[in-house]
Amino acid sequence: MSLISGKPIFIRLIFLSLASLSIAFLLVSLAASGMPASFYQAMTDMNTSNYLCVKNYDAGASVTESYSDFDHLEKETEINSRSFHPSGIKDDSSRGNATLEARIASSLIGKAHIAWQSKDVKSGPYGRHAVYGLVQEDLIGVLSIERFIHLSSNDSYGFSGTDWLPCS
């Protein structure tokens, strides 16, 4: 009878010694690294994001560049926003000449959202602005993005244009 009751006790002792050994190993490894366990938990639960929105009210243009949930992000963004009022008065309601240019070059592993729109500066009879163009791109994965966006209220002023290479 003592053999039968001795087996479960023996198995329990082995289980408890293995559990305590694994806990001790975990504590020793955390102490050796010098970082608390909460540090590693915070590193794995990070919510990464990078957001940029630029508006030129004189041109009626806006550009949005947003990255989220990324493991890797390298980006280079150049924004040029110009406004020129022929009358020299800043509150002039005429469109004048205004541009918004964005050069976006990025590589990432994660999610990307790139959008731009162009709308009429003056509102219509019901207070709404007519939208001339709206583009939205939502991308997920391993990405390499290159965009040149040029939005203008009047192309006759200072637009240099892009140089296109011929197909060979």
Side-chain angles (χ1 to χ4, degrees):
M1 195 136 155
S2 65
L3 287 175
I4 295 173
S5 64
K7 284 183 182 180
I9 293 172
F10 180 71
I11 292 172
R12 283 186 208 149
L13 287 176
I14 290 175
F15 177 75
L16 289 176
S17 64
L18 287 175
S20 62
L21 183 63
S22 64
I23 291 172
F25 178 77
L26 178 67
L27 292 175
V28 168
S29 65
L30 287 176
S33 68
M35 298 292 176
S38 61
F39 173 79
Y40 295 106
Q41 183 179 8
M43 289 299 290
T44 58
D45 292 342
M46 277 189 357
N47 184 8
T48 54
S49 64
N50 186 309
Y51 184 81
L52 173 68
C53 181
V54 178
K55 296 179 182 180
N56 184 325
Y57 292 103
D58 293 331
S62 64
V63 174
T64 302
E65 177 188 23
S66 172
Y67 304 99
S68 63
D69 300 327
F70 55 84
D71 292 333
H72 168 78
L73 174 63
E74 290 181 29
K75 75 173 201 141
E76 185 175 332
T77 303
E78 181 183 336
I79 304 287
N80 290 317
S81 180
R82 296 181 209 98
S83 295
F84 172 74
H85 294 281
S87 66
I89 301 170
K90 187 173 183 171
D91 294 336
D92 186 8
S93 63
S94 66
R95 288 195 72 150
N97 297 302
T99 61
L100 178 62
E101 291 179 352
R103 285 181 176 83
I104 300 170
S106 62
S107 65
L108 74 139
I109 301 172
K111 297 179 184 177
H113 171 79
I114 298 174
W116 61 91
Q117 75 171 0
S118 180
K119 64 180 181 178
D120 193 0
V121 176
K122 296 179 183 178
S123 60
Y126 299 107
R128 296 187 181 124
H129 298 269
V131 176
Y132 297 136
L134 172 66
V135 176
Q136 293 184 1
E137 293 179 287
D138 291 307
L139 308 164
I140 299 174
V142 179
L143 307 168
S144 178
I145 302 169
E146 290 187 27
R147 299 284 183 274
F148 175 74
I149 303 163
H150 176 85
L151 303 169
S152 177
S153 64
N154 185 353
D155 253 350
S156 65
Y157 178 74
F159 175 58
S160 61
T162 56
D163 295 328
W164 294 95
L165 297 174
C167 296
S168 55

